[in-house]
Amino acid sequence: MSAVFRRRLRKGMGMIMAKSKVYYTNMRTSFHENLPQKLERLIKTAGIGEIDFTKKYAAVKIHFGEPGNLAYLRPNYAAVVVKVIKELGGKPFLTDCNTLYVGGRKNALDHMDAAYQNGFSPFSTGCHVIIADGLKGTDEVLVPVEGGEYVKEAKIGRAVMDADVFITLNHFKGHEATGFGGALKNIGMGCGSRAGKMEMHSAGKPDVNKEACIGCGRCIKICAHDAPSITDKKAAIDHEKCVGCGRCIGVCPMDAVEPAGDESNDILNRKIAEYSKAVLAGRPHFHISLVVDVTPNCDCHAENDIPIVPDVGMFASFDPVALDLACADAVNRQPVVADSQLDRMPHVHHDHFMDSAPQTNWKSSIEHAVKIGIGNGEYELVEI
């Protein structure tokens, strides 16, 4: 991490925070301890047992992987987290929210099919899968964002907000818009309803793809502001009336209602941080990141490219900001995998993520998260 970036983070923190502890272990094993056992030792050493789970619902936020992608975290890791939570008296469930884009996880039925197809079932993990924002991605809670500069009320999947304890299990990898996807991305973007995801991606309001529209009128029925109308069996949205809630996106059976996708990547990262603050505020939380299969793009893709660096290890912390920063620093210390996307790019930024996807700036998310008080820009790495 550059000295300039560290100075900016210290300025954002003021003088109120000591270094956060981030616990780390590598991926080496022995005859006496396999990877699931090592993960269990890591999270227990990191202090997950300090949380009171007794008879409490615990959301374990995870990415189940888009069908066709094979880089997502194996369900074996989720099973370890579930086992530990149950031992501590909790009632865990695996959860994610529906996607904004067209794919295999845009509604709860397809999403659960994808989760089961990729191995996440009660039989393999020890708990149930709940899609947090409901059947069509419209079951949301409006959560105030204290000190939010871009978001005043975050639209969060209801099951996430109903949980008493919030845990994340993150696959740390590259991302074509945010630089990398780690804890904050899994929390902020991952817990947003479909309308919430639109708010993070878009500064504008949705439009209708006329070719895909069948004129069914469901967008008219769901809108409280009379923005959609139908002419010649095709819908249109009056932006003067539209408030950008995005509920028409969730109900369209043809995915004809599309977000503008016109927000800058830096503002996208800051909105993700503000959504993360809404999710975390007022309840215990703990975060685990596995820096393995560090592919250049998100697990939302229906394919995955080869990793850009070798596998690094497993990390855990109560502080998601320090956790993301520690993982990013660890990746940037790694050699580049030959013939990967990163290897084929000019190395001008001295940063693996920005060299792999030059249009991104992951530091904007960290800086804003520190500024709004989610976590710490300074960490102490404790290796076990």
Side-chain angles (χ1 to χ4, degrees):
M1 190 197 327
S2 71
V4 173
F5 184 48
R6 284 194 181 277
R7 284 197 296 271
R8 287 207 301 263
L9 290 181
R10 291 193 189 103
K11 183 178 179 181
M13 290 186 295
M15 300 298 291
I16 60 172
M17 298 185 78
K19 290 182 179 180
S20 293
K21 286 188 176 182
V22 177
Y23 291 78
Y24 159 76
T25 188
N26 60 35
M27 302 301 287
R28 299 296 306 277
T29 61
S30 69
F31 293 120
H32 307 291
E33 186 179 51
N34 58 33
L35 283 175
Q37 291 167 335
K38 203 172 190 184
L39 175 60
E40 180 175 349
R41 181 163 63 92
L42 173 72
I43 64 177
K44 287 181 176 179
T45 304
I48 193 171
E50 297 173 17
I51 297 173
D52 179 11
F53 284 98
T54 306
K55 296 183 179 179
K56 291 181 170 61
Y57 294 104
V60 180
K61 173 63 180 69
I62 193 169
H63 193 304
F64 297 115
E66 186 71 14
N69 187 300
L70 297 179
Y72 61 90
L73 293 183
R74 294 181 182 182
N76 310 64
Y77 294 117
V80 171
V81 179
V82 168
K83 170 179 172 286
V84 171
I85 293 172
K86 285 186 172 182
E87 287 175 353
L88 293 169
K91 298 175 70 66
F93 62 95
L94 300 181
T95 192
D96 198 1
C97 285
N98 292 304
T99 58
L100 179 60
Y101 59 85
V102 177
R105 296 175 300 118
K106 66 183 179 180
N107 63 68
L109 297 182
D110 291 346
H111 204 154
M112 292 181 72
D113 282 346
Y116 294 152
Q117 177 182 324
N118 286 343
F120 295 91
S121 75
F123 308 104
S124 61
T125 65
C127 72
H128 289 286
V129 170
I130 298 176
I131 305 306
D133 59 343
L135 182 61
K136 299 179 180 179
T138 58
D139 190 12
E140 63 195 16
V141 178
L142 299 179
V143 183
V145 181
E146 184 179 352
E149 296 180 22
Y150 301 90
V151 180
K152 300 306 177 184
E153 284 188 326
K155 304 174 181 71
I156 308 298
R158 186 173 300 277
V160 165
M161 296 312 301
D162 281 348
D164 304 301
V165 180
F166 183 75
I167 309 294
T168 65
L169 180 57
N170 317 296
H171 175 212
F172 194 89
K173 69 282 182 190
H175 194 280
E176 59 277 19
T178 60
F180 64 68
L184 291 176
K185 177 76 164 45
N186 192 20
I187 300 165
M189 183 61 70
C191 292
S193 66
R194 295 193 84 191
K197 289 179 171 65
M198 186 195 79
E199 181 176 30
M200 284 180 273
H201 277 291
S202 175
K205 298 172 182 180
D207 288 302
V208 177
N209 179 342
K210 302 290 186 182
E211 293 183 4
C213 179
I214 59 174
C216 67
R218 294 186 189 181
C219 54
I220 294 176
K221 293 178 181 178
I222 197 66
C223 184
H225 306 280
D226 297 322
S229 61
I230 294 179
T231 303
D232 296 328
K233 298 183 179 181
K234 299 291 180 181
I237 296 175
D238 184 343
H239 284 187
E240 293 296 321
K241 296 179 179 179
C242 176
V243 298
C245 74
R247 296 186 73 81
C248 52
I249 293 174
V251 300
C252 179
M254 305 304 293
D255 296 302
V257 185
E258 300 173 343
D262 56 353
E263 197 62 281
S264 74
N265 286 337
D266 278 359
I267 294 178
L268 168 63
N269 267 333
R270 292 170 192 146
K271 287 182 175 180
I272 287 171
E274 294 190 1
Y275 260 68
S276 296
K277 184 171 186 178
V279 172
L280 299 176
R283 58 180 165 173
H285 52 88
F286 184 84
H287 311 279
I288 308 149
S289 287
L290 273 62
V291 188
V292 297
D293 292 321
V294 185
T295 51
N297 297 320
C298 182
D299 292 344
C300 292
H301 284 247
E303 79 293 325
N304 58 278
D305 203 355
I306 65 170
I308 59 175
V309 298
D311 289 351
V312 177
M314 300 184 280
F315 297 73
S317 180
F318 285 99
D319 184 338
V321 182
L323 179 64
D324 271 356
L325 193 51
C327 292
D329 286 347
V331 169
N332 276 321
R333 288 192 292 266
Q334 301 304 307
V336 177
V337 170
D339 202 35
S340 66
Q341 175 175 301
L342 176 59
D343 190 40
R344 296 182 178 189
M345 299 294 287
H347 293 190
V348 297
H349 295 93
H350 307 292
D351 180 283
H352 287 341
F353 298 109
M354 288 190 279
D355 284 334
S356 180
Q359 72 278 10
T360 67
N361 175 24
W362 61 267
K363 296 176 182 178
S364 60
S365 178
I366 298 291
E367 288 175 339
H368 196 64
V370 169
K371 179 180 179 182
I372 63 177
I374 300 175
N376 201 338
E378 294 284 337
Y379 64 89
E380 174 190 352
L381 192 65
V382 182
E383 185 170 359
I384 70 163

